[in-house]
Amino acid sequence: MPQEEKTTLIREDRYDAQRIETKWFERWQQDASLYAAEPNSTKPKYYVLEMLPYPSGVLHMGHVRNYAIGDALARYMWMNGYNVLHPMGWDSFGLPAENAAISNNTPPREWTLHNIANMKTQMKRLGFAYDWSREVTTCLPEYYRWNQWFFLKLYEKGLAYRKKSRVNWCPQCATVLANEQVVNGCCWRHEDTLVEQRELEQWFLRTTQYAEELLRDLDKLGDWPEKVRTMQRNWIGRSEGALVDFKLDGATDSPDSTITVFTTRVDTIYGATSIQLAPQHPLVARLTKNNDPLRAQVEQLIAEQRKAKEVGDIGAIEKHGVDTHRYAVNPYNGDRVPIWVANYILMDYGTGAIMSVPAHDERDYEFARKYNLQIRIVIVPRAVDPEETSVEPVLPFTTLDGTLVNSGPFSSLECGEAIQKMSAHAEKNGFGKATVTYRLKDWGISRQRYWGTPIPMLYCEKDGIVPVPEKDLPVILPENVDITLTGGSPLGRVPEFVNVTCPKCGGPARRETDTMDTFVDSSWYFYRYTDARNDRAPFDSKTVAYWFPIDQYIGGVEHAILHLIYSRFWTKFMRDMGLVKNDEPAERLFTQGMIIKGGAKMSKSLGNVVSPDDMVARYGADSTRMYTLFATAPDRELDWQDEGVEGIQRFLGRVYRFVARNAPVETQLAASPRAERETLQATSLQPEARQIQRKLHQTIKRVSDDFQGRWHFNTSIAAIMELVNELYVVEERVVRAPSPADIVSPSLLLDVQRNLALLLAPFAPHLAHELWEMLGEKGSLLRAPWPKYDLALAKEEEIEIPVQINGKLRGLIVVPVDSSKEVIHERALSHEKIKAAIAGKQVVKVIVVPGKLANIVVH
Ligand SMILES: [Zn+2]
Ligand SMILES: [Zn+2]
């Protein structure tokens, strides 16, 4: 045999992940259409999306896990014949770029783009199948100009507005935070920094306009995790109640002498024995105007409240109040009730005023006991015996399961009915109405920082607030700006940015120097992927209509409130603009579990961070990715073990070596047409061959079921491992057999190996492609059809086992060949005939000889 020919038959017998992965990395780089979604495709569409990262500089393992899940799914859908959209981008505005600019003296843009380049290289090295032609980078004008365009549309529709308000201020970020960004009183980015309260002029988006729909449509999101839906429900915090106007006693009848209270229990209003105002309530300022001692006491309450807000737990505040010695009149019965100011009443919840009903509210009861206020019972437990009406409730009696007493014409009504009738009564008499309030507040989007989208608004002395005309977009973020964390927005120190000509009057105007919250960027980025290079519109509506809603969205549960509420709001606003047809952005949501090491979240300070680069260098990309899917179910917390990655590498090595030894050489392949491989019948096979064929079909079924169902890729991969073990067992027998082809035909062996490569493709794509080529396949594995299983072939072989009672044959059971003692035991006792025969007798013991018989000994 000529030397040259011989070498083509020699295969590398060591699994060299670096060699294989570099080879495929280069091949995939050269094929731009490989992961591209097809235009005008007749295939069904599938949009799979992982949340886009912030380009901090390097990927962490949490990213790898998130993307490994999405990538496995994308590859699976491609192999199932779908037109798949699987894009990636960068949520690239935000504070870390400014901090880096300050500490390294690098402009934020340069720092950010450098990090993006790094992370993109890492993603490619890991073999993630992204369509990079659709990459979105939110800090570039081609993207953020559309944030500005949307802002103008929101402003036109009255959904963007400016107002002075008390805001959350993070001294570390030196900027305002949205309510959603305050976690336990601290900044969401600075977990140890207490958020302060400041009074500032701010831009808001009217998210509350959609509160009801945001809440109601959660019911449509059945394929979102229940935990996320619950968090959103609580955040939106809808409560039904009534607004009731109390008049300030002795005041002239004017609107500013009306105290409107919000209550969810108007049925208890005859039990109201005081009114409690928030310290910032406008009436308080009037009542304290000529009363210095009272004003000082109120200031004290404000200070206490601010402190409690800053530590984040207003609910746990030590309740204090002061009596104003003024009275309000209960419109239902004309009762005069004292007006108090209390530190636990918040101006931004409800109306900033409540009626206090100590007998029927926990908090009011506590307060009344402390200050010795009157307690009046107006609800009693529903009497079981109608004669027995004087059941004294234990106070505070707060349930709705009661009957009204001492409530004028409403006495003897049940609470539920009373709420309806009493709200209607207020409405009819013009002193109140039924209403709904929400905990959800409008979204404050002004940030006093540099690295964000400039808000496209101007201030003219003559015309007031003037929007930048659409034709002048984008308002470009200037470069070479002096960034410091003090002295207001850095943009305010750039005269050529600030000073402009008013488009209305031609006079001098000043540009808005606040930038937008970066959550604006991520509220709609996934629409841009469908039409990422459009320079006339944010996207083409027809293209969006084809791809939306997203079929599967995957990301961290930490976005349950912020990103996932904002992006739902944005979708509804765009739908109402006529830009999109879908009501919700994503059909299904999956939240992956966190990765920890040694029992703690990975962090630099703990020194337990595992670097993806390091893992890839040691074990390869396939082993690293596959481990994140194998270690536990993807929704669970994963405790990282390097040995686990090593274990996966060993497994992939076993697969590689098996195929290296058993893949047919070219000449054999030519002699084994596919038609023959596919007509193998179970009946014509030797037991070993049948065993391997059964295992193959069982494995295909398990992996396919996992993709369709709960995504327990850990069990999918375990099943593939079992299949490989089975192959090793059979190989052993083949090697020893005098005539190997009699045990397993070469065509069956080839079939199993081809399917093994297909099954591995979503989890270990580099190796799977290599195996595919070793098996003589030419086309791309990504376009090869996902293997099908045959239930008949997957079925375990069954045998009949005789069941005896006290040694006498009494029945036969049919069980799988390899059934354990326990299975046979259980089946024997549950067999109808046997059950009848042993009824009323005592089973002393059951003797099972697996594969042979079961004998039940009875008295
Ligand atoms: Zn902060
Ligand atoms: Zn003007």
Side-chain angles (χ1 to χ4, degrees):
M1 195 181 268
Q3 191 63 30
E4 215 185 296
E5 251 191 83
K6 201 177 160 192
T7 53
T8 60
L9 300 181
I10 296 169
R11 294 194 177 99
E12 178 86 38
D13 63 354
R14 192 177 63 89
Y15 169 49
D16 181 349
Q18 304 301 332
R19 177 187 67 80
I20 293 169
E21 292 176 4
T22 309
K23 167 181 158 184
W24 288 99
F25 168 84
E26 279 161 9
R27 286 244 199 124
W28 293 339
Q29 284 281 83
Q30 285 157 19
D31 185 355
S33 71
L34 189 60
Y35 305 130
E38 300 164 27
N40 311 315
S41 173
T42 52
K43 296 175 184 172
K45 70 96 183 175
Y46 197 85
Y47 187 175
V48 53
L49 182 68
E50 298 109 62
M51 288 180 185
L52 85 178
Y54 177 78
S56 57
V58 285
L59 290 182
H60 56 68
M61 270 307 168
H63 290 128
V64 175
R65 188 183 199 187
N66 185 180
Y67 309 151
I69 296 167
D71 202 60
L73 182 66
R75 290 173 183 277
Y76 173 78
M77 296 312 288
W78 261 306
M79 295 172 78
N80 275 281
Y82 284 80
N83 183 22
V84 176
L85 176 57
H86 189 218
M88 186 41 80
W90 312 98
D91 190 10
S92 48
F93 268 140
L95 206 58
E98 286 183 57
N99 292 337
I102 294 165
S103 50
N104 314 330
N105 209 17
T106 319
R109 182 187 158 99
E110 196 180 299
W111 183 83
T112 303
L113 296 181
H114 174 79
N115 288 348
I116 288 175
N118 260 351
M119 290 168 78
K120 197 166 164 180
T121 305
Q122 285 184 295
M123 285 183 184
K124 287 186 173 176
R125 176 62 187 85
L126 280 154
F128 295 129
Y130 296 124
D131 180 353
W132 287 109
S133 72
R134 296 165 183 274
E135 181 178 4
V136 161
T137 305
T138 61
C139 67
L140 299 179
E142 66 198 55
Y143 182 81
Y144 71 66
R145 65 177 295 179
W146 301 112
N147 285 343
Q148 296 173 339
W149 183 83
F150 278 122
F151 185 90
L152 294 179
K153 299 294 167 195
L154 286 157
Y155 184 72
E156 267 171 38
K157 301 255 180 308
L159 291 169
Y161 67 96
R162 190 168 162 82
K163 78 166 184 205
K164 190 166 196 175
S165 72
R166 295 176 60 74
V167 292
N168 310 301
W169 179 271
C170 171
Q172 285 278 339
C173 294
T175 185
V176 162
L177 302 177
N179 285 345
E180 288 81 354
Q181 292 163 339
V182 181
V183 182
N184 299 325
C186 295
C187 172
W188 67 293
R189 300 194 56 253
H190 302 103
E191 289 172 19
D192 304 324
T193 304
L194 289 179
V195 170
E196 298 167 4
Q197 301 290 307
R198 287 198 182 180
E199 187 109 337
L200 278 179
E201 284 267 331
Q202 294 288 293
W203 283 101
F204 287 87
L205 299 186
R206 218 179 282 282
T207 39
T208 53
Q209 179 110 340
Y210 288 93
E212 189 62 40
E213 201 191 336
L214 286 168
L215 181 71
R216 197 181 58 222
D217 284 357
L218 286 173
D219 295 340
K220 291 187 193 166
L221 300 176
D223 287 318
W224 281 37
E226 189 48 50
K227 126 188 102 176
V228 171
R229 295 197 294 161
T230 303
M231 283 165 84
Q232 292 211 357
R233 256 183 221 115
N234 293 340
W235 188 261
I236 296 166
R238 181 183 196 275
S239 55
E240 280 183 21
L243 294 171
V244 179
D245 296 337
F246 284 63
K247 287 272 181 261
L248 183 61
D249 188 36
T252 52
D253 196 18
S254 70
D256 60 1
S257 62
T258 298
I259 305 164
T260 304
V261 303
F262 171 73
T263 173
T264 58
R265 291 295 304 272
V266 71
D267 56 318
T268 64
I269 201 164
Y270 281 78
T273 57
S274 70
I275 289 289
Q276 306 281 343
L277 301 179
Q280 301 85 355
H281 195 283
L283 185 64
V284 175
R286 266 176 56 206
L287 298 181
T288 57
K289 202 169 170 195
N290 298 313
N291 188 339
D292 288 343
L294 182 62
R295 192 165 56 239
Q297 285 175 298
V298 169
E299 295 290 331
Q300 177 63 27
L301 297 177
I302 291 176
E304 288 164 7
Q305 189 175 87
R306 182 180 304 145
K307 216 166 162 197
K309 262 195 171 175
E310 284 174 2
V311 298
D313 196 2
I314 192 78
I317 191 171
E318 161 100 47
K319 293 173 187 58
H320 288 143
V322 292
D323 189 351
T324 64
H325 299 289
R326 295 292 298 269
Y327 290 83
V329 180
N330 184 339
Y332 282 84
N333 56 6
D335 258 17
R336 286 169 80 243
V337 293
I339 300 172
W340 283 63
V341 183
N343 64 357
Y344 66 96
I345 309 296
L346 302 175
M347 194 56 219
D348 57 7
Y349 182 77
T351 58
I354 64 150
M355 61 177 201
S356 180
V357 185
H360 305 295
D361 181 278
E362 199 82 50
R363 214 170 51 166
D364 296 348
Y365 185 74
E366 191 190 323
F367 193 84
R369 291 291 296 262
K370 180 167 183 170
Y371 290 103
N372 234 337
L373 300 175
Q374 198 194 341
I375 297 173
R376 193 186 299 156
I377 295 170
V378 292
I379 312 281
V380 293
R382 236 190 297 209
V384 185
D385 175 359
E387 298 296 303
E388 193 192 336
T389 49
S390 62
V391 185
E392 276 288 305
V394 177
L395 295 185
F397 180 67
T398 59
T399 92
L400 270 168
D401 192 19
T403 307
L404 273 65
V405 294
N406 306 323
S407 296
F410 305 101
S411 293
S412 83
L413 288 178
E414 311 236 310
C415 294
E417 195 187 353
I419 287 174
Q420 294 196 353
K421 291 203 163 151
M422 292 172 81
S423 304
H425 176 77
E427 185 141 19
K428 199 171 125 207
N429 291 282
F431 59 76
K433 61 176 182 188
T435 189
V436 174
T437 61
Y438 298 92
R439 181 171 175 261
L440 182 75
K441 296 281 170 272
D442 284 340
W443 174 15
I445 60 149
S446 293
R447 297 291 179 273
Q448 292 68 42
R449 302 303 329 145
Y450 163 69
W451 194 233
T453 304
I455 295 174
M457 287 299 197
L458 310 172
Y459 302 97
C460 167
E461 270 176 38
K462 239 173 85 186
D463 302 303
I465 296 176
V466 180
V468 172
E470 221 174 289
K471 66 172 175 51
D472 294 346
L473 296 184
V475 176
I476 297 274
L477 190 64
E479 309 233 3
N480 303 318
V481 171
D482 166 37
I483 297 165
T484 50
L485 285 178
T486 51
S489 170
L491 288 176
R493 297 189 293 272
V494 184
E496 56 277 27
F497 178 81
V498 176
N499 302 319
V500 286
T501 305
C502 171
K504 262 193 179 166
C505 68
R510 187 174 53 81
R511 208 184 271 290
E512 171 64 80
T513 57
D514 284 354
T515 52
M516 295 182 200
D517 182 4
T518 58
F519 280 94
V520 169
D521 306 325
S522 53
S523 288
W524 69 279
Y525 77 101
F526 32 58
Y527 290 93
R528 182 74 179 168
Y529 283 142
T530 66
D531 192 16
R533 303 292 163 255
N534 195 329
D535 57 5
R536 285 154 294 120
F539 48 76
D540 172 57
S541 290
K542 264 202 196 131
T543 310
V544 160
Y546 170 77
W547 286 110
F548 270 78
I550 297 163
D551 295 277
Q552 181 68 62
Y553 199 17
I554 306 165
V557 74
E558 65 274 19
H559 297 292
I561 305 287
L562 294 149
H563 165 57
L564 290 170
I565 282 197
Y566 296 146
S567 55
R568 293 183 61 220
F569 159 76
W570 211 278
T571 290
K572 290 173 191 303
F573 150 65
M574 294 198 303
R575 178 205 57 201
D576 289 350
M577 271 183 81
L579 283 179
V580 306
K581 292 198 166 70
N582 48 303
D583 292 323
E584 290 289 338
E587 188 80 19
R588 292 166 62 91
L589 173 71
F590 185 86
T591 52
Q592 82 272 2
M594 211 171 54
I595 298 192
I596 58 168
K597 190 170 191 212
K601 192 174 163 180
M602 288 186 189
S603 78
K604 269 187 199 158
S605 59
L606 287 173
N608 63 349
V609 176
V610 178
S611 140
D613 283 351
D614 189 32
M615 286 294 125
V616 169
R618 277 161 71 189
Y619 304 112
D622 282 345
S623 297
T624 305
R625 295 172 53 151
M626 196 157 161
Y627 171 70
T628 67
L629 299 176
F630 175 69
T632 181
D635 53 344
R636 299 269 189 78
E637 191 172 79
L638 188 165
D639 194 351
W640 190 271
Q641 312 278 349
D642 287 2
E643 309 81 72
V645 192
E646 204 183 323
I648 293 287
Q649 191 201 33
R650 267 200 308 275
F651 164 68
L652 294 180
R654 264 166 78 79
V655 174
Y656 176 82
R657 289 192 303 276
F658 184 90
V659 175
R661 286 193 299 267
N662 293 286
V665 292
E666 298 284 328
T667 47
Q668 287 171 312
L669 280 167
S672 169
R674 191 163 302 176
E676 184 207 325
R677 290 182 231 152
E678 283 165 3
T679 52
L680 291 165
Q681 293 300 312
T683 47
S684 66
L685 299 180
Q686 294 294 320
E688 286 88 351
R690 176 66 189 108
Q691 171 69 11
I692 197 81
Q693 185 189 46
R694 182 185 308 118
K695 195 77 196 171
L696 171 66
H697 285 267
Q698 288 174 344
T699 308
I700 298 172
K701 181 173 187 312
R702 273 176 72 180
V703 178
S704 306
D705 287 353
D706 274 334
F707 269 109
Q708 302 291 339
R710 298 175 61 203
W711 287 8
H712 283 183
F713 301 128
N714 49 333
T715 66
S716 297
I717 293 166
I720 299 172
M721 289 173 169
E722 284 174 31
L723 173 66
V724 172
N725 287 342
E726 203 66 56
L727 279 172
Y728 268 72
V729 170
V730 170
E731 185 188 38
E732 184 84 355
R733 290 200 194 131
V734 168
V735 166
R736 288 183 189 167
S739 168
D742 288 347
I743 292 190
V744 177
S745 72
S747 57
L748 174 63
L749 201 56
L750 176 59
D751 193 47
V752 179
Q753 293 176 86
R754 286 181 72 250
N755 281 301
L756 178 60
L758 293 167
L759 289 170
L760 282 171
F763 310 116
H766 303 89
L767 176 62
H769 278 74
E770 182 72 8
L771 301 177
W772 196 239
E773 202 175 73
M774 287 159 77
L775 292 166
E777 298 287 347
K778 299 278 185 283
S780 168
L781 179 56
L782 199 64
R783 304 282 185 254
W786 183 253
K788 298 222 173 338
Y789 59 87
D790 181 330
L791 269 181
L793 295 181
K795 205 170 161 200
E796 288 289 346
E797 257 154 61
E798 292 177 327
I799 48 166
E800 285 187 330
I801 291 192
V803 183
Q804 302 172 337
I805 296 177
N806 293 346
K808 263 195 204 159
L809 179 67
R810 301 298 291 270
L812 287 167
I813 53 169
V814 179
V815 294
V817 168
D818 300 324
S819 295
S820 64
K821 273 189 176 181
E822 291 71 26
V823 169
I824 295 169
H825 182 152
E826 192 253 304
R827 292 275 191 92
L829 288 176
S830 58
H831 186 274
E832 284 305 325
K833 260 171 141 178
I834 304 296
K835 257 165 57 183
I838 62 176
K841 297 189 174 118
Q842 195 200 341
V843 176
V844 181
K845 63 176 170 180
V846 180
I847 302 153
V848 174
V849 186
K852 292 280 190 295
L853 68 86
N855 183 19
I856 303 167
V857 183
V858 296
H859 276 318

